[in-house]
Amino acid sequence: MLDADFFRRWMTATAVSVDREAERLTALDSPIGDADHGSNLQRGFTAVAATLEKESPDTPGAVLTLAGRRLISTVGGASGPLYGTLLRRTGKALGEAGEVTEEQFAVALREGVDAVMTLGGAAPGDKTMIDALVPAVDALGAGFAAARAAAEEGALATTPLQARKGRASYLGERSIGHQDPGATSASLLVAALAEVAGE
Ligand code: ADP
Ligand code: MG
């Protein structure tokens, strides 16, 4: 079973990972964006970790909805509302249970990813965070390590794609040949999940 502490540790591990990889995320956002993805998420997840520490919400759903709200309020770029929606919607789908099963979490995360697609209008293959998130939820039934591998593969597979959503889409064909920063950060989020699950 996964409790509030598990989800809090997931957010903290994501904050550490985003902090460590911030320069790389910003470098990826330089040729096909505006070079702020690393700093955007660094600011956002630092605030998330601090808020969770201070308020210590006591259910999985409350941890994720609070984290999502915090991301939306601290990240100005496109990724803030998108990741914020992912976490808020996933948290909402988990309801008020004190503990949830991995299966319940997989169902909730699918709702979260669907909400991101509705909000941003991106589908798989559009060279966005969706290209890491959809393979991850698809693989989650096989465990957290499988989800991590699928997300990493999905992020790498964005390189040859032409962006159809977000800032990178303004470049048209010139977006080809660069790995998408948001798909890369999404793979960090999923890797942090595997890390806290000990897989
Ligand atoms: P901004 O583009 O506003 O500077 P960021 O640099 O923080 O925001 O985030 C860029 C990332 O957000 C992209 O690499 C992409 O993965 C993701 N993204 C942008 N637009 C969308 C969208 N409509 N749907 C899903 N993801 C998107
Ligand atoms: Mg950017």
Side-chain angles (χ1 to χ4, degrees), residues 7-196:
F7 289 96
R8 193 181 49 72
R9 287 188 295 117
W10 177 27
M11 292 296 104
T12 307
T14 301
V16 169
S17 169
V18 160
D19 208 43
R20 197 172 47 219
E21 300 291 330
E23 276 183 32
R24 183 165 75 100
L25 294 174
T26 287
L28 289 172
D29 195 32
S30 167
I32 58 168
D34 55 353
D36 64 356
H37 191 56
S39 48
N40 278 344
L41 291 190
Q42 199 172 25
R43 184 170 63 252
F45 278 99
T46 299
V48 165
T51 298
L52 291 177
E53 178 111 356
K54 201 167 92 208
E55 299 194 19
S56 44
D58 58 3
T59 64
V63 169
L64 295 185
T65 49
L66 179 60
R69 279 210 308 276
R70 201 76 187 101
L71 279 183
I72 292 168
S73 66
T74 52
V75 180
S79 60
L82 293 165
Y83 276 125
T85 295
L86 174 72
L87 298 178
R88 265 175 53 172
R89 186 60 72 90
T90 303
K92 202 172 160 215
L94 289 175
E96 289 175 3
E99 292 184 327
V100 299
T101 63
E102 284 186 30
E103 291 71 25
Q104 286 169 324
F105 173 57
V107 170
L109 190 63
R110 168 90 57 194
E111 271 190 47
V113 174
D114 286 346
V116 174
M117 289 197 276
T118 302
L119 176 66
D126 287 348
K127 197 181 182 97
T128 69
M129 59 175 69
I130 290 303
D131 291 317
L133 293 173
V134 166
V137 269
D138 285 346
L140 197 52
F144 293 116
R148 171 177 53 200
E152 281 168 5
E153 204 178 304
L156 290 174
T158 59
T159 301
L161 299 176
Q162 178 172 335
R164 284 193 289 253
K165 289 289 169 200
R167 224 175 258 284
S169 67
Y170 309 155
L171 293 175
E173 284 182 4
R174 281 181 294 135
S175 64
I176 294 172
H178 303 280
Q179 187 171 321
D180 180 61
T184 309
S185 58
S187 84
L188 297 180
L189 184 77
V190 179
L193 190 58
E195 182 191 320
V196 299

